[in-house]
Structure formats: C-alpha cells, structure tokens
PDB file of all heavy atoms in Angstrom:
ATOM      1  N   ASN A 153       0.807  -1.216   0.000  1.00  0.00           N
ATOM      2  CA  ASN A 153       0.000   0.000   0.000  1.00  0.00           C
ATOM      3  C   ASN A 153       0.846   1.275   0.000  1.00  0.00           C
ATOM      4  O   ASN A 153       0.387   2.334   0.431  1.00  0.00           O
ATOM      5  CB  ASN A 153      -0.953   0.003   1.195  1.00  0.00           C
ATOM      6  CG  ASN A 153      -0.219  -0.081   2.527  1.00  0.00           C
ATOM      7  OD1 ASN A 153       0.975  -0.397   2.564  1.00  0.00           O
ATOM      8  ND2 ASN A 153      -0.940   0.196   3.609  1.00  0.00           N
ATOM      9  N   VAL A 154       2.093   1.173  -0.473  1.00  0.00           N
ATOM     10  CA  VAL A 154       2.983   2.333  -0.533  1.00  0.00           C
ATOM     11  C   VAL A 154       3.566   2.464  -1.937  1.00  0.00           C
ATOM     12  O   VAL A 154       4.069   1.488  -2.508  1.00  0.00           O
ATOM     13  CB  VAL A 154       4.127   2.217   0.502  1.00  0.00           C
ATOM     14  CG1 VAL A 154       5.042   3.438   0.428  1.00  0.00           C
ATOM     15  CG2 VAL A 154       3.565   2.064   1.915  1.00  0.00           C
ATOM     16  N   ILE A 155       3.509   3.673  -2.490  1.00  0.00           N
ATOM     17  CA  ILE A 155       4.134   3.955  -3.785  1.00  0.00           C
ATOM     18  C   ILE A 155       5.655   3.807  -3.639  1.00  0.00           C
ATOM     19  O   ILE A 155       6.240   4.383  -2.716  1.00  0.00           O
ATOM     20  CB  ILE A 155       3.787   5.386  -4.242  1.00  0.00           C
ATOM     21  CG1 ILE A 155       2.272   5.547  -4.420  1.00  0.00           C
ATOM     22  CG2 ILE A 155       4.523   5.727  -5.552  1.00  0.00           C
ATOM     23  CD1 ILE A 155       1.822   7.002  -4.471  1.00  0.00           C
ATOM     24  N   PRO A 156       6.290   3.045  -4.500  1.00  0.00           N
ATOM     25  CA  PRO A 156       7.742   2.863  -4.373  1.00  0.00           C
ATOM     26  C   PRO A 156       8.506   4.188  -4.490  1.00  0.00           C
ATOM     27  O   PRO A 156       8.326   4.936  -5.461  1.00  0.00           O
ATOM     28  CB  PRO A 156       8.090   1.930  -5.525  1.00  0.00           C
ATOM     29  CG  PRO A 156       6.807   1.206  -5.820  1.00  0.00           C
ATOM     30  CD  PRO A 156       5.725   2.212  -5.583  1.00  0.00           C
ATOM     31  N   GLY A 157       9.353   4.449  -3.494  1.00  0.00           N
ATOM     32  CA  GLY A 157      10.129   5.685  -3.497  1.00  0.00           C
ATOM     33  C   GLY A 157      11.533   5.525  -4.042  1.00  0.00           C
ATOM     34  O   GLY A 157      12.154   6.500  -4.486  1.00  0.00           O
ATOM     35  N   GLU A 158      12.031   4.304  -4.013  1.00  0.00           N
ATOM     36  CA  GLU A 158      13.391   4.084  -4.505  1.00  0.00           C
ATOM     37  C   GLU A 158      13.509   2.680  -5.084  1.00  0.00           C
ATOM     38  O   GLU A 158      13.036   1.715  -4.475  1.00  0.00           O
ATOM     39  CB  GLU A 158      14.407   4.264  -3.374  1.00  0.00           C
ATOM     40  CG  GLU A 158      15.855   4.089  -3.814  1.00  0.00           C
ATOM     41  CD  GLU A 158      16.833   4.313  -2.672  1.00  0.00           C
ATOM     42  OE1 GLU A 158      17.043   5.478  -2.292  1.00  0.00           O
ATOM     43  OE2 GLU A 158      17.369   3.303  -2.161  1.00  0.00           O
ATOM     44  N   VAL A 159      14.129   2.585  -6.230  1.00  0.00           N
ATOM     45  CA  VAL A 159      14.384   1.291  -6.859  1.00  0.00           C
ATOM     46  C   VAL A 159      15.853   1.212  -7.268  1.00  0.00           C
ATOM     47  O   VAL A 159      16.353   2.091  -7.979  1.00  0.00           O
ATOM     48  CB  VAL A 159      13.478   1.056  -8.086  1.00  0.00           C
ATOM     49  CG1 VAL A 159      13.929  -0.181  -8.858  1.00  0.00           C
ATOM     50  CG2 VAL A 159      12.031   0.895  -7.649  1.00  0.00           C
ATOM     51  N   SER A 160      16.523   0.177  -6.794  1.00  0.00           N
ATOM     52  CA  SER A 160      17.902  -0.097  -7.184  1.00  0.00           C
ATOM     53  C   SER A 160      17.897  -1.304  -8.119  1.00  0.00           C
ATOM     54  O   SER A 160      17.202  -2.293  -7.859  1.00  0.00           O
ATOM     55  CB  SER A 160      18.764  -0.395  -5.959  1.00  0.00           C
ATOM     56  OG  SER A 160      18.758   0.695  -5.061  1.00  0.00           O
ATOM     57  N   LEU A 161      18.674  -1.228  -9.193  1.00  0.00           N
ATOM     58  CA  LEU A 161      18.717  -2.333 -10.142  1.00  0.00           C
ATOM     59  C   LEU A 161      20.096  -2.398 -10.794  1.00  0.00           C
ATOM     60  O   LEU A 161      20.837  -1.414 -10.821  1.00  0.00           O
ATOM     61  CB  LEU A 161      17.619  -2.213 -11.193  1.00  0.00           C
ATOM     62  CG  LEU A 161      17.607  -1.035 -12.163  1.00  0.00           C
ATOM     63  CD1 LEU A 161      16.645  -1.341 -13.321  1.00  0.00           C
ATOM     64  CD2 LEU A 161      17.172   0.267 -11.511  1.00  0.00           C
ATOM     65  N   SER A 162      20.421  -3.584 -11.258  1.00  0.00           N
ATOM     66  CA  SER A 162      21.707  -3.791 -11.920  1.00  0.00           C
ATOM     67  C   SER A 162      21.523  -3.750 -13.425  1.00  0.00           C
ATOM     68  O   SER A 162      20.432  -3.994 -13.950  1.00  0.00           O
ATOM     69  CB  SER A 162      22.301  -5.144 -11.519  1.00  0.00           C
ATOM     70  OG  SER A 162      21.456  -6.203 -11.968  1.00  0.00           O
ATOM     71  N   LEU A 163      22.610  -3.428 -14.128  1.00  0.00           N
ATOM     72  CA  LEU A 163      22.608  -3.476 -15.585  1.00  0.00           C
ATOM     73  C   LEU A 163      23.903  -4.137 -16.037  1.00  0.00           C
ATOM     74  O   LEU A 163      24.999  -3.740 -15.624  1.00  0.00           O
ATOM     75  CB  LEU A 163      22.498  -2.071 -16.182  1.00  0.00           C
ATOM     76  CG  LEU A 163      22.592  -1.984 -17.718  1.00  0.00           C
ATOM     77  CD1 LEU A 163      21.436  -2.714 -18.384  1.00  0.00           C
ATOM     78  CD2 LEU A 163      22.642  -0.527 -18.172  1.00  0.00           C
ATOM     79  N   ASP A 164      23.778  -5.154 -16.876  1.00  0.00           N
ATOM     80  CA  ASP A 164      24.916  -5.870 -17.459  1.00  0.00           C
ATOM     81  C   ASP A 164      24.779  -5.775 -18.976  1.00  0.00           C
ATOM     82  O   ASP A 164      23.780  -6.218 -19.542  1.00  0.00           O
ATOM     83  CB  ASP A 164      24.885  -7.333 -16.989  1.00  0.00           C
ATOM     84  CG  ASP A 164      26.022  -8.175 -17.540  1.00  0.00           C
ATOM     85  OD1 ASP A 164      26.174  -8.256 -18.766  1.00  0.00           O
ATOM     86  OD2 ASP A 164      26.747  -8.777 -16.738  1.00  0.00           O
ATOM     87  N   VAL A 165      25.768  -5.164 -19.628  1.00  0.00           N
ATOM     88  CA  VAL A 165      25.746  -4.980 -21.081  1.00  0.00           C
ATOM     89  C   VAL A 165      26.995  -5.625 -21.661  1.00  0.00           C
ATOM     90  O   VAL A 165      28.102  -5.398 -21.168  1.00  0.00           O
ATOM     91  CB  VAL A 165      25.711  -3.485 -21.451  1.00  0.00           C
ATOM     92  CG1 VAL A 165      25.538  -3.312 -22.951  1.00  0.00           C
ATOM     93  CG2 VAL A 165      24.590  -2.772 -20.717  1.00  0.00           C
ATOM     94  N   ARG A 166      26.831  -6.437 -22.725  1.00  0.00           N
ATOM     95  CA  ARG A 166      27.963  -7.160 -23.301  1.00  0.00           C
ATOM     96  C   ARG A 166      27.910  -7.132 -24.822  1.00  0.00           C
ATOM     97  O   ARG A 166      26.832  -7.068 -25.413  1.00  0.00           O
ATOM     98  CB  ARG A 166      27.975  -8.625 -22.838  1.00  0.00           C
ATOM     99  CG  ARG A 166      27.948  -8.813 -21.345  1.00  0.00           C
ATOM    100  CD  ARG A 166      28.166 -10.252 -20.960  1.00  0.00           C
ATOM    101  NE  ARG A 166      27.873 -10.470 -19.547  1.00  0.00           N
ATOM    102  CZ  ARG A 166      28.348 -11.475 -18.831  1.00  0.00           C
ATOM    103  NH1 ARG A 166      29.155 -12.357 -19.391  1.00  0.00           N
ATOM    104  NH2 ARG A 166      28.022 -11.608 -17.565  1.00  0.00           N
ATOM    105  N   GLY A 167      29.095  -7.230 -25.422  1.00  0.00           N
ATOM    106  CA  GLY A 167      29.188  -7.291 -26.874  1.00  0.00           C
ATOM    107  C   GLY A 167      30.607  -7.572 -27.321  1.00  0.00           C
ATOM    108  O   GLY A 167      31.563  -7.355 -26.568  1.00  0.00           O
ATOM    109  N   PRO A 168      30.773  -8.039 -28.577  1.00  0.00           N
ATOM    110  CA  PRO A 168      32.095  -8.449 -29.063  1.00  0.00           C
ATOM    111  C   PRO A 168      32.976  -7.301 -29.548  1.00  0.00           C
ATOM    112  O   PRO A 168      34.153  -7.519 -29.842  1.00  0.00           O
ATOM    113  CB  PRO A 168      31.753  -9.396 -30.217  1.00  0.00           C
ATOM    114  CG  PRO A 168      30.433  -8.906 -30.717  1.00  0.00           C
ATOM    115  CD  PRO A 168      29.701  -8.402 -29.514  1.00  0.00           C
ATOM    116  N   LEU A 169      32.421  -6.084 -29.660  1.00  0.00           N
ATOM    117  CA  LEU A 169      33.196  -4.911 -30.058  1.00  0.00           C
ATOM    118  C   LEU A 169      32.929  -3.787 -29.076  1.00  0.00           C
ATOM    119  O   LEU A 169      31.772  -3.520 -28.712  1.00  0.00           O
ATOM    120  CB  LEU A 169      32.819  -4.465 -31.474  1.00  0.00           C
ATOM    121  CG  LEU A 169      33.148  -5.431 -32.619  1.00  0.00           C
ATOM    122  CD1 LEU A 169      32.508  -4.965 -33.918  1.00  0.00           C
ATOM    123  CD2 LEU A 169      34.656  -5.571 -32.786  1.00  0.00           C
ATOM    124  N   ASP A 170      33.998  -3.105 -28.657  1.00  0.00           N
ATOM    125  CA  ASP A 170      33.846  -2.113 -27.599  1.00  0.00           C
ATOM    126  C   ASP A 170      33.065  -0.876 -28.021  1.00  0.00           C
ATOM    127  O   ASP A 170      32.259  -0.350 -27.246  1.00  0.00           O
ATOM    128  CB  ASP A 170      35.220  -1.703 -27.059  1.00  0.00           C
ATOM    129  CG  ASP A 170      35.832  -2.771 -26.175  1.00  0.00           C
ATOM    130  OD1 ASP A 170      35.075  -3.416 -25.424  1.00  0.00           O
ATOM    131  OD2 ASP A 170      37.057  -2.975 -26.237  1.00  0.00           O
ATOM    132  N   ASN A 171      33.266  -0.381 -29.242  1.00  0.00           N
ATOM    133  CA  ASN A 171      32.595   0.861 -29.644  1.00  0.00           C
ATOM    134  C   ASN A 171      31.075   0.729 -29.695  1.00  0.00           C
ATOM    135  O   ASN A 171      30.356   1.572 -29.128  1.00  0.00           O
ATOM    136  CB  ASN A 171      33.147   1.349 -30.984  1.00  0.00           C
ATOM    137  CG  ASN A 171      34.537   1.951 -30.849  1.00  0.00           C
ATOM    138  OD1 ASN A 171      34.963   2.309 -29.756  1.00  0.00           O
ATOM    139  ND2 ASN A 171      35.253   2.069 -31.961  1.00  0.00           N
ATOM    140  N   PRO A 172      30.522  -0.302 -30.363  1.00  0.00           N
ATOM    141  CA  PRO A 172      29.061  -0.456 -30.325  1.00  0.00           C
ATOM    142  C   PRO A 172      28.535  -0.675 -28.902  1.00  0.00           C
ATOM    143  O   PRO A 172      27.429  -0.242 -28.576  1.00  0.00           O
ATOM    144  CB  PRO A 172      28.808  -1.690 -31.201  1.00  0.00           C
ATOM    145  CG  PRO A 172      30.008  -1.799 -32.071  1.00  0.00           C
ATOM    146  CD  PRO A 172      31.149  -1.293 -31.254  1.00  0.00           C
ATOM    147  N   LEU A 173      29.339  -1.339 -28.073  1.00  0.00           N
ATOM    148  CA  LEU A 173      28.939  -1.567 -26.683  1.00  0.00           C
ATOM    149  C   LEU A 173      28.813  -0.242 -25.940  1.00  0.00           C
ATOM    150  O   LEU A 173      27.837  -0.002 -25.218  1.00  0.00           O
ATOM    151  CB  LEU A 173      29.968  -2.474 -26.012  1.00  0.00           C
ATOM    152  CG  LEU A 173      29.708  -2.947 -24.589  1.00  0.00           C
ATOM    153  CD1 LEU A 173      28.390  -3.703 -24.499  1.00  0.00           C
ATOM    154  CD2 LEU A 173      30.853  -3.828 -24.115  1.00  0.00           C
ATOM    155  N   GLU A 174      29.793   0.640 -26.131  1.00  0.00           N
ATOM    156  CA  GLU A 174      29.759   1.944 -25.477  1.00  0.00           C
ATOM    157  C   GLU A 174      28.593   2.787 -25.991  1.00  0.00           C
ATOM    158  O   GLU A 174      27.942   3.502 -25.226  1.00  0.00           O
ATOM    159  CB  GLU A 174      31.076   2.689 -25.710  1.00  0.00           C
ATOM    160  CG  GLU A 174      32.255   2.121 -24.959  1.00  0.00           C
ATOM    161  CD  GLU A 174      32.113   2.256 -23.452  1.00  0.00           C
ATOM    162  OE1 GLU A 174      31.319   3.091 -22.980  1.00  0.00           O
ATOM    163  OE2 GLU A 174      32.779   1.497 -22.737  1.00  0.00           O
ATOM    164  N   THR A 175      28.328   2.698 -27.294  1.00  0.00           N
ATOM    165  CA  THR A 175      27.215   3.455 -27.874  1.00  0.00           C
ATOM    166  C   THR A 175      25.884   3.006 -27.284  1.00  0.00           C
ATOM    167  O   THR A 175      25.031   3.835 -26.931  1.00  0.00           O
ATOM    168  CB  THR A 175      27.200   3.278 -29.403  1.00  0.00           C
ATOM    169  OG1 THR A 175      28.437   3.765 -29.943  1.00  0.00           O
ATOM    170  CG2 THR A 175      26.046   4.039 -30.037  1.00  0.00           C
ATOM    171  N   LEU A 176      25.696   1.682 -27.180  1.00  0.00           N
ATOM    172  CA  LEU A 176      24.473   1.159 -26.587  1.00  0.00           C
ATOM    173  C   LEU A 176      24.329   1.602 -25.143  1.00  0.00           C
ATOM    174  O   LEU A 176      23.267   2.099 -24.730  1.00  0.00           O
ATOM    175  CB  LEU A 176      24.451  -0.368 -26.659  1.00  0.00           C
ATOM    176  CG  LEU A 176      23.288  -1.056 -25.933  1.00  0.00           C
ATOM    177  CD1 LEU A 176      21.947  -0.659 -26.529  1.00  0.00           C
ATOM    178  CD2 LEU A 176      23.457  -2.565 -25.927  1.00  0.00           C
ATOM    179  N   LEU A 177      25.394   1.441 -24.355  1.00  0.00           N
ATOM    180  CA  LEU A 177      25.327   1.808 -22.944  1.00  0.00           C
ATOM    181  C   LEU A 177      24.996   3.286 -22.778  1.00  0.00           C
ATOM    182  O   LEU A 177      24.163   3.659 -21.945  1.00  0.00           O
ATOM    183  CB  LEU A 177      26.656   1.480 -22.257  1.00  0.00           C
ATOM    184  CG  LEU A 177      26.749   1.849 -20.771  1.00  0.00           C
ATOM    185  CD1 LEU A 177      25.659   1.157 -19.968  1.00  0.00           C
ATOM    186  CD2 LEU A 177      28.132   1.486 -20.231  1.00  0.00           C
ATOM    187  N   SER A 178      25.619   4.125 -23.584  1.00  0.00           N
ATOM    188  CA  SER A 178      25.351   5.563 -23.502  1.00  0.00           C
ATOM    189  C   SER A 178      23.892   5.872 -23.794  1.00  0.00           C
ATOM    190  O   SER A 178      23.257   6.683 -23.093  1.00  0.00           O
ATOM    191  CB  SER A 178      26.258   6.305 -24.486  1.00  0.00           C
ATOM    192  OG  SER A 178      25.980   7.686 -24.469  1.00  0.00           O
ATOM    193  N   SER A 179      23.327   5.213 -24.797  1.00  0.00           N
ATOM    194  CA  SER A 179      21.922   5.464 -25.143  1.00  0.00           C
ATOM    195  C   SER A 179      20.981   4.981 -24.043  1.00  0.00           C
ATOM    196  O   SER A 179      19.955   5.628 -23.762  1.00  0.00           O
ATOM    197  CB  SER A 179      21.575   4.791 -26.473  1.00  0.00           C
ATOM    198  OG  SER A 179      21.532   3.383 -26.349  1.00  0.00           O
ATOM    199  N   LEU A 180      21.327   3.862 -23.393  1.00  0.00           N
ATOM    200  CA  LEU A 180      20.481   3.354 -22.307  1.00  0.00           C
ATOM    201  C   LEU A 180      20.491   4.306 -21.115  1.00  0.00           C
ATOM    202  O   LEU A 180      19.437   4.583 -20.514  1.00  0.00           O
ATOM    203  CB  LEU A 180      20.951   1.967 -21.877  1.00  0.00           C
ATOM    204  CG  LEU A 180      20.885   0.847 -22.928  1.00  0.00           C
ATOM    205  CD1 LEU A 180      21.336  -0.475 -22.325  1.00  0.00           C
ATOM    206  CD2 LEU A 180      19.489   0.730 -23.517  1.00  0.00           C
ATOM    207  N   LEU A 181      21.656   4.818 -20.777  1.00  0.00           N
ATOM    208  CA  LEU A 181      21.756   5.730 -19.632  1.00  0.00           C
ATOM    209  C   LEU A 181      21.101   7.073 -19.939  1.00  0.00           C
ATOM    210  O   LEU A 181      20.466   7.682 -19.056  1.00  0.00           O
ATOM    211  CB  LEU A 181      23.223   5.926 -19.245  1.00  0.00           C
ATOM    212  CG  LEU A 181      23.941   4.675 -18.725  1.00  0.00           C
ATOM    213  CD1 LEU A 181      25.404   4.981 -18.432  1.00  0.00           C
ATOM    214  CD2 LEU A 181      23.254   4.115 -17.479  1.00  0.00           C
ATOM    215  N   THR A 182      21.237   7.532 -21.166  1.00  0.00           N
ATOM    216  CA  THR A 182      20.572   8.786 -21.563  1.00  0.00           C
ATOM    217  C   THR A 182      19.061   8.653 -21.435  1.00  0.00           C
ATOM    218  O   THR A 182      18.371   9.570 -20.955  1.00  0.00           O
ATOM    219  CB  THR A 182      20.958   9.157 -23.008  1.00  0.00           C
ATOM    220  OG1 THR A 182      22.375   9.372 -23.070  1.00  0.00           O
ATOM    221  CG2 THR A 182      20.233  10.411 -23.469  1.00  0.00           C
ATOM    222  N   GLN A 183      18.532   7.500 -21.851  1.00  0.00           N
ATOM    223  CA  GLN A 183      17.093   7.272 -21.758  1.00  0.00           C
ATOM    224  C   GLN A 183      16.644   7.187 -20.299  1.00  0.00           C
ATOM    225  O   GLN A 183      15.564   7.694 -19.943  1.00  0.00           O
ATOM    226  CB  GLN A 183      16.714   5.994 -22.502  1.00  0.00           C
ATOM    227  CG  GLN A 183      15.224   5.685 -22.513  1.00  0.00           C
ATOM    228  CD  GLN A 183      14.405   6.714 -23.271  1.00  0.00           C
ATOM    229  OE1 GLN A 183      14.953   7.522 -24.025  1.00  0.00           O
ATOM    230  NE2 GLN A 183      13.090   6.706 -23.073  1.00  0.00           N
ATOM    231  N   ALA A 184      17.436   6.588 -19.448  1.00  0.00           N
ATOM    232  CA  ALA A 184      17.092   6.510 -18.027  1.00  0.00           C
ATOM    233  C   ALA A 184      16.975   7.906 -17.424  1.00  0.00           C
ATOM    234  O   ALA A 184      16.043   8.201 -16.649  1.00  0.00           O
ATOM    235  CB  ALA A 184      18.142   5.694 -17.277  1.00  0.00           C
ATOM    236  N   GLU A 185      17.911   8.774 -17.788  1.00  0.00           N
ATOM    237  CA  GLU A 185      17.869  10.151 -17.278  1.00  0.00           C
ATOM    238  C   GLU A 185      16.648  10.895 -17.811  1.00  0.00           C
ATOM    239  O   GLU A 185      16.018  11.680 -17.088  1.00  0.00           O
ATOM    240  CB  GLU A 185      19.163  10.877 -17.662  1.00  0.00           C
ATOM    241  CG  GLU A 185      20.383  10.350 -16.904  1.00  0.00           C
ATOM    242  CD  GLU A 185      21.702  10.793 -17.509  1.00  0.00           C
ATOM    243  OE1 GLU A 185      21.668  11.487 -18.559  1.00  0.00           O
ATOM    244  OE2 GLU A 185      22.755  10.439 -16.943  1.00  0.00           O
ATOM    245  N   ALA A 186      16.302  10.634 -19.079  1.00  0.00           N
ATOM    246  CA  ALA A 186      15.122  11.287 -19.662  1.00  0.00           C
ATOM    247  C   ALA A 186      13.841  10.817 -18.979  1.00  0.00           C
ATOM    248  O   ALA A 186      12.928  11.625 -18.712  1.00  0.00           O
ATOM    249  CB  ALA A 186      15.070  10.993 -21.165  1.00  0.00           C
ATOM    250  N   ILE A 187      13.745   9.535 -18.697  1.00  0.00           N
ATOM    251  CA  ILE A 187      12.579   8.999 -17.987  1.00  0.00           C
ATOM    252  C   ILE A 187      12.467   9.632 -16.605  1.00  0.00           C
ATOM    253  O   ILE A 187      11.374  10.046 -16.178  1.00  0.00           O
ATOM    254  CB  ILE A 187      12.676   7.461 -17.890  1.00  0.00           C
ATOM    255  CG1 ILE A 187      12.510   6.816 -19.270  1.00  0.00           C
ATOM    256  CG2 ILE A 187      11.638   6.906 -16.901  1.00  0.00           C
ATOM    257  CD1 ILE A 187      12.850   5.332 -19.304  1.00  0.00           C
ATOM    258  N   ALA A 188      13.585   9.698 -15.907  1.00  0.00           N
ATOM    259  CA  ALA A 188      13.584  10.282 -14.564  1.00  0.00           C
ATOM    260  C   ALA A 188      13.171  11.746 -14.612  1.00  0.00           C
ATOM    261  O   ALA A 188      12.352  12.206 -13.786  1.00  0.00           O
ATOM    262  CB  ALA A 188      14.968  10.135 -13.938  1.00  0.00           C
ATOM    263  N   LEU A 189      13.691  12.507 -15.563  1.00  0.00           N
ATOM    264  CA  LEU A 189      13.358  13.931 -15.676  1.00  0.00           C
ATOM    265  C   LEU A 189      11.875  14.131 -15.956  1.00  0.00           C
ATOM    266  O   LEU A 189      11.210  14.974 -15.327  1.00  0.00           O
ATOM    267  CB  LEU A 189      14.201  14.557 -16.791  1.00  0.00           C
ATOM    268  CG  LEU A 189      14.007  16.062 -17.029  1.00  0.00           C
ATOM    269  CD1 LEU A 189      14.448  16.860 -15.803  1.00  0.00           C
ATOM    270  CD2 LEU A 189      14.791  16.512 -18.265  1.00  0.00           C
ATOM    271  N   ARG A 190      11.333  13.359 -16.873  1.00  0.00           N
ATOM    272  CA  ARG A 190       9.921  13.490 -17.230  1.00  0.00           C
ATOM    273  C   ARG A 190       9.002  13.147 -16.067  1.00  0.00           C
ATOM    274  O   ARG A 190       7.936  13.721 -15.905  1.00  0.00           O
ATOM    275  CB  ARG A 190       9.627  12.594 -18.442  1.00  0.00           C
ATOM    276  CG  ARG A 190       8.161  12.501 -18.830  1.00  0.00           C
ATOM    277  CD  ARG A 190       7.962  11.905 -20.220  1.00  0.00           C
ATOM    278  NE  ARG A 190       8.834  10.801 -20.532  1.00  0.00           N
ATOM    279  CZ  ARG A 190       8.632   9.543 -20.145  1.00  0.00           C
ATOM    280  NH1 ARG A 190       7.585   9.246 -19.381  1.00  0.00           N
ATOM    281  NH2 ARG A 190       9.472   8.585 -20.506  1.00  0.00           N
ATOM    282  N   ARG A 191       9.436  12.214 -15.237  1.00  0.00           N
ATOM    283  CA  ARG A 191       8.604  11.764 -14.118  1.00  0.00           C
ATOM    284  C   ARG A 191       8.910  12.513 -12.806  1.00  0.00           C
ATOM    285  O   ARG A 191       8.304  12.225 -11.781  1.00  0.00           O
ATOM    286  CB  ARG A 191       8.805  10.261 -13.895  1.00  0.00           C
ATOM    287  CG  ARG A 191       8.214   9.374 -14.985  1.00  0.00           C
ATOM    288  CD  ARG A 191       8.564   7.922 -14.754  1.00  0.00           C
ATOM    289  NE  ARG A 191       7.876   7.015 -15.664  1.00  0.00           N
ATOM    290  CZ  ARG A 191       6.686   6.458 -15.439  1.00  0.00           C
ATOM    291  NH1 ARG A 191       6.039   6.735 -14.301  1.00  0.00           N
ATOM    292  NH2 ARG A 191       6.133   5.646 -16.313  1.00  0.00           N
ATOM    293  N   GLY A 192       9.858  13.428 -12.856  1.00  0.00           N
ATOM    294  CA  GLY A 192      10.197  14.176 -11.648  1.00  0.00           C
ATOM    295  C   GLY A 192      11.004  13.374 -10.642  1.00  0.00           C
ATOM    296  O   GLY A 192      10.911  13.600  -9.422  1.00  0.00           O
ATOM    297  N   LEU A 193      11.813  12.441 -11.124  1.00  0.00           N
ATOM    298  CA  LEU A 193      12.643  11.589 -10.273  1.00  0.00           C
ATOM    299  C   LEU A 193      14.125  11.925 -10.487  1.00  0.00           C
ATOM    300  O   LEU A 193      14.486  12.745 -11.333  1.00  0.00           O
ATOM    301  CB  LEU A 193      12.408  10.113 -10.594  1.00  0.00           C
ATOM    302  CG  LEU A 193      11.128   9.435 -10.097  1.00  0.00           C
ATOM    303  CD1 LEU A 193       9.911   9.887 -10.867  1.00  0.00           C
ATOM    304  CD2 LEU A 193      11.272   7.914 -10.233  1.00  0.00           C
ATOM    305  N   ARG A 194      14.962  11.246  -9.752  1.00  0.00           N
ATOM    306  CA  ARG A 194      16.407  11.362  -9.929  1.00  0.00           C
ATOM    307  C   ARG A 194      16.957   9.995 -10.328  1.00  0.00           C
ATOM    308  O   ARG A 194      16.553   8.969  -9.773  1.00  0.00           O
ATOM    309  CB  ARG A 194      17.061  11.840  -8.632  1.00  0.00           C
ATOM    310  CG  ARG A 194      18.560  12.147  -8.780  1.00  0.00           C
ATOM    311  CD  ARG A 194      19.143  12.810  -7.546  1.00  0.00           C
ATOM    312  NE  ARG A 194      19.302  11.887  -6.422  1.00  0.00           N
ATOM    313  CZ  ARG A 194      18.523  11.868  -5.346  1.00  0.00           C
ATOM    314  NH1 ARG A 194      17.521  12.736  -5.230  1.00  0.00           N
ATOM    315  NH2 ARG A 194      18.741  11.001  -4.375  1.00  0.00           N
TER     316      ARG A 194
END
C-alpha cells in the first residue's frame, strides 16, 4: 500500500566490439535520465 520511493537495479551490457557496446550503454543511460526527468525523479 505504498508507492515505491526508490528502486535499485543492476545493468549488465555485453558485446564483441567495444565501440558499439559503449554506444548502446550511452543510449540506455541517456534514456534513463530522460525517464527520470519526465517523471520528476532522480
């Protein structure tokens, strides 16, 4: 009966080439920040 105030989660990203891996990770983190901003979270 309580709205969740904090969620901790892990992220594991893997790939055979480092550059595409970094590009994917960057896009995932950018989207997380955008979701948080839109919802008024950190």
Side-chain angles (χ1 to χ4, degrees):
N153 59 346
V154 180
I155 299 163
E158 182 178 285
V159 170
S160 301
L161 64 165
S162 63
L163 176 64
D164 180 303
V165 186
R166 306 188 191 202
L169 295 170
D170 285 323
N171 286 342
L173 185 58
E174 289 294 340
T175 300
L176 174 62
L177 178 58
S178 177
S179 71
L180 298 182
L181 295 178
T182 298
Q183 182 65 15
E185 290 165 358
I187 291 169
L189 181 64
R190 173 165 40 81
R191 290 175 172 270
L193 284 73
R194 187 172 73 254

